[in-house]
């Protein structure tokens, strides 16, 4: 059957809001479909090439950002800090781990959230769940929780201005390796990380001086600029469909809301709307793979989403939980390998390790996150496959949402700076600490 961008509408679909004003929704979709694309097909193809190299074991994907972007916390500084931490992590992974890093943010469109329940009940009052700022508001009132179509437009414009800033940061000098000291944030690093990072800065500076002395142009693009791509979960399909356009140079469909899109753990049904929708666009596509995923399901995803077995097209994002990955991942790796499917395997050590504290904070323990990452690398080692990336929920600020790390955030102090709209993120220090650990694990895979 020929794919069309609205074919998903006749298929079973999960995790969609129920809008009361369907005329308003239709008008909004039409309006969105006339607005300019947010990314261009040529950029998407560059990302696909970079991901192809990661899936073949020659580079490594670093994907990170908020669980959910917010309209209220939309500040240049938040974006800048996130960008700087990703640059710092990427310097660590490139230099200490010896791999080129593909940088992809969960940013400029990461607004729609799947929820474990359609309703939330507090003190006997039952309201629709919060589904992200593109759908409704977090506040627990009837008015706030009503899905409003105009929020799609606000999400679009916030994504556009976020992307504008990211492009400026990537090309306008902030990413210049000579300026690595300016990537520091406005708060202290943990002592151990400070020492490791300043050693790395000295080594990089020496390497740059050496290259310059050899006559290599210090203004070279590779040193002065970086490539930074955007991604989000393609959950709210009316938004994605409206931004899906035909690329005039290739005649192919691209979802121009972001460079890369992924399908969540709850919406990856093979014959459902989300898989059908992303099967028809040419962007790199991710799929979250949780502890219950079977080899048949995973092979089915490879078949539907990457029938031509193209490197760089499909990223399987493993999010099983530290205690489940050992028993569930090996059989998936074996099946994919024995069928000769080309896949980029990455690890999301966040979503299988969430729990609620006694005082009702959703959190994740740094040790558990680390344990899942270590197991991910070990399992790949024993299966002879390549652990090609890491997918994180993180902030560029010193929030207190996940426990542990060198600063040892405690359950009792989570309230200090608990700012997430949805799931708990690593703070900048925890993210950098994790990057050093991943760099050590990654080194072993250098051929
Ligand atoms: C997420 O990435 O924020 C998310 C909801 O993940 P998952 O689909 O893996 O639960
Ligand atoms: Co999340």
């Amino acid at each position: 059957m020929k794919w069309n961008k609205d074919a998903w509408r006749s298929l079973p679909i999960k995790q969609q809001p129920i809008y009361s004003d369907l005329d308003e929704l239709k008008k909004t979709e039409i309006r969105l479909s006339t607005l300019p694309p947010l990314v261009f097909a040529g950029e998407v193809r560059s990302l696909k090439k970079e991901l192809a190299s990661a899936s073949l074991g020659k580079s490594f994907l670093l994907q990170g950002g908020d669980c959910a972007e917010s309209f209220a916390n939309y500040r240049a500084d938040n974006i800048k800090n996130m960008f700087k931490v990703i640059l710092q992590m990427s310097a660590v992974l490139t230099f200490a781990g010896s791999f080129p890093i593909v940088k992809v943010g969960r940013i400029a469109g990461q607004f729609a959230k799947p929820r474990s329940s359609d309703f939330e009940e507090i003190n006997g009052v039952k309201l629709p769940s919060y589904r992200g700022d593109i759908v409704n508001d977090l506040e627990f009132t009837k008015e706030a929780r009503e899905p409003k179509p105009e929020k799609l437009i606000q999400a679009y414009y916030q994504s556009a201005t976020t992307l504008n800033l990211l492009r400026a940061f990537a090309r306008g000098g902030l990413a210049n390796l000579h300026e690595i000291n300016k990537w520091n944030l406005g708060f202290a690093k943990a002592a151990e990380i400070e020492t490791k990072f300043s050693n790395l800065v000295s080594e990089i500076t020496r390497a740059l001086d050496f290259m310059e002395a050899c006559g290599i142009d210090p203004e070279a693009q590779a040193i002065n600029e970086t490539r930074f791509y955007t991604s989000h979960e393609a959950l709210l399909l009316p938004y994605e469909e409206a931004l899906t356009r035909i690329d005039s140079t290739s005649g192919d469909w691209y979802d121009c809301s972001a460079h890369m899109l992924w399908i969540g753990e709850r919406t990856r049904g093979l014959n459902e709307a989300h898989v059908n929708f992303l099967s028809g666009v040419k962007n790199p596509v991710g799929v979250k793979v949780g502890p219950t995923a079977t080899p048949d399901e995973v092979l089915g995803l490879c078949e539907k989403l990457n029938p031509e077995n193209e490197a760089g097209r499909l990223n399987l994002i493993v999010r099983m939980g530290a205690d489940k990955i050992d028993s569930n991942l090996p059989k998936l790796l074996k099946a994919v390998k024995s069928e000769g499917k080309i896949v980029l395997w990455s690890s999301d050590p966040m979503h299988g390790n969430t729990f609620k504290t006694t005082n009702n904070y959703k959190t994740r323990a740094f040790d558990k996150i680390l344990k899942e990452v270590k197991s991910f690398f070990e399992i790949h080692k024993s299966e002879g496959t390549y652990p090609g990336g890491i997918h994180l929920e993180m902030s560029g600020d010193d929030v207190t949402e996940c426990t542990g790390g060198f600063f040892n955030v405690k359950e009792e102090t989570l309230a200090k700076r608990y700012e997430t709209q949805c799931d708990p993120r690593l703070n900048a220090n925890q993210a950098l600490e994790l990057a050093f650990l991943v760099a050590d694990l990654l080194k072993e895979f250098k051929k």
Side-chain angles (χ1 to χ4, degrees):
M1 219 168 64
K2 202 174 154 332
W3 181 89
N4 213 304
K5 64 178 174 158
D6 63 0
W8 63 270
R9 291 181 186 265
S10 60
L11 293 170
I13 187 164
K14 297 201 177 98
Q15 297 284 346
Q16 301 302 290
I18 299 167
Y19 291 97
S20 52
D21 191 341
L22 291 177
D23 284 346
E24 191 57 33
L25 177 65
K26 193 80 243 157
K27 274 190 214 146
T28 309
E29 289 174 46
I30 292 168
R31 170 90 187 107
L32 258 185
S33 67
T34 63
L35 294 172
L38 292 173
V39 302
F40 304 104
E43 298 174 312
V44 176
R45 284 191 284 271
S46 302
L47 172 62
K48 202 185 252 183
K49 266 196 209 140
E50 290 192 37
L51 292 174
S53 141
S55 60
L56 301 173
K58 295 183 193 140
S59 54
F60 188 78
L61 167 67
L62 170 60
Q63 188 170 13
D66 290 326
C67 176
E69 286 173 278
S70 134
F71 290 175
N73 297 330
Y74 181 48
R75 307 265 184 293
D77 272 352
N78 294 348
I79 300 168
K80 191 174 187 177
N81 289 347
M82 177 83 74
F83 186 81
K84 284 176 166 183
V85 182
I86 292 181
L87 285 181
Q88 292 187 40
M89 293 169 80
S90 149
V92 168
L93 289 163
T94 312
F95 210 76
S98 302
F99 278 89
I101 303 303
V102 188
K103 295 178 267 304
V104 181
R106 287 176 60 115
I107 200 165
Q110 175 50 23
F111 291 107
K113 299 309 300 172
R115 303 315 306 254
S116 48
S117 165
D118 286 344
F119 292 93
E120 187 178 347
E121 197 171 326
I122 301 180
N123 300 333
V125 182
K126 195 169 154 190
L127 293 175
S129 291
Y130 168 65
R131 290 187 174 275
D133 279 2
I134 194 170
V135 173
N136 56 3
D137 291 312
L138 187 54
E139 206 191 330
F140 193 73
T141 64
K142 191 168 179 300
E143 154 62 15
R145 291 296 172 89
E146 176 70 25
K148 296 173 198 72
E150 79 251 18
K151 292 172 80 64
L152 273 74
I153 303 283
Q154 195 177 345
Y156 167 87
Y157 280 110
Q158 182 166 319
S159 301
T161 46
T162 301
L163 251 163
N164 181 53
L165 200 56
L166 291 170
R167 288 198 170 100
F169 289 153
R171 311 224 176 102
L174 184 63
N176 187 340
L177 263 179
H178 293 100
E179 308 276 330
I180 189 165
N181 272 318
K182 300 205 178 128
W183 299 352
N184 282 324
L185 301 157
F187 48 88
K189 289 193 177 75
E192 287 89 337
I193 298 296
E194 182 64 58
T195 311
K196 279 188 176 180
F197 196 74
S198 50
N199 288 344
L200 183 102
V201 168
S202 315
E203 286 188 57
I204 291 178
T205 309
R206 265 165 50 84
L208 288 172
D209 288 348
F210 171 75
M211 280 158 53
E212 216 169 304
C214 294
I216 292 170
D217 179 11
E219 303 295 317
Q221 209 179 16
I223 297 171
N224 286 270
E225 295 181 7
T226 193
R227 281 191 293 271
F228 189 90
Y229 299 98
T230 61
S231 69
H232 62 258
E233 177 173 348
L235 181 66
L236 190 63
L237 294 186
Y239 180 81
E240 304 304 333
E241 181 190 327
L243 286 164
T244 293
R245 314 284 165 83
I246 288 188
D247 165 40
S248 59
T249 60
S250 62
D252 289 325
W253 288 103
Y254 282 84
D255 182 343
C256 297
S257 70
H259 300 108
M260 173 182 174
L261 287 313
W262 77 84
I263 303 173
E265 163 72 0
R266 299 167 182 83
T267 49
R268 61 174 167 76
L270 283 179
N271 299 311
E272 295 177 10
H274 290 85
V275 170
N276 174 278
F277 177 74
L278 284 185
S279 73
V281 296
K282 287 282 178 185
N283 307 58
V285 166
V287 187
K288 294 291 197 84
V289 174
T292 59
T294 63
D296 281 350
E297 280 170 5
V298 167
L299 291 174
L301 288 165
C302 294
E303 209 43 62
K304 289 239 158 151
L305 292 169
N306 193 15
E308 283 158 33
N309 210 19
E310 183 192 3
R313 159 72 173 170
L314 185 59
N315 170 211
L316 295 179
I317 309 163
V318 177
R319 39 84 86 217
M320 297 191 166
D323 301 328
K324 295 191 176 153
I325 188 167
D326 290 337
S327 47
N328 295 293
L329 181 58
K331 57 178 184 272
L332 304 185
L333 299 187
K334 283 190 178 82
V336 168
K337 188 179 175 183
S338 74
E339 294 298 315
K341 302 292 184 198
I342 303 173
V343 155
L344 168 60
W345 290 103
S346 65
S347 165
D348 164 0
M350 315 298 295
H351 287 91
N353 296 310
T354 318
F355 69 97
K356 269 211 173 146
T357 62
T358 42
N359 50 352
N360 227 16
Y361 280 95
K362 222 184 188 191
T363 190
R364 292 157 173 159
F366 189 71
D367 284 350
K368 278 280 169 128
I369 292 171
L370 195 59
K371 182 166 178 253
E372 179 159 356
V373 173
K374 279 190 181 146
S375 299
F376 179 77
F377 276 81
E378 276 160 18
I379 297 167
H380 276 283
K381 184 107 209 160
S382 58
E383 296 300 329
T385 45
Y386 177 63
I390 184 130
H391 181 122
L392 301 172
E393 286 184 344
M394 49 179 274
S395 158
D397 293 301
D398 56 350
V399 296
T400 53
E401 297 170 7
C402 292
T403 60
F406 275 126
F407 274 139
N408 201 10
V409 176
K410 297 267 199 323
E411 287 191 19
E412 309 81 73
T413 53
L414 286 173
K416 217 168 111 201
R417 266 198 85 176
Y418 193 93
E419 296 174 6
T420 180
Q421 295 276 115
C422 193
D423 290 339
R425 302 161 294 176
L426 295 173
N427 61 29
N429 265 297
Q430 291 166 330
L432 204 52
E433 186 175 343
L434 186 66
F436 277 107
L437 297 161
V438 171
D440 275 342
L441 296 167
L442 189 56
K443 254 187 287 197
E444 288 207 30
F445 289 83
K446 187 80 192 171
K447 286 187 193 117

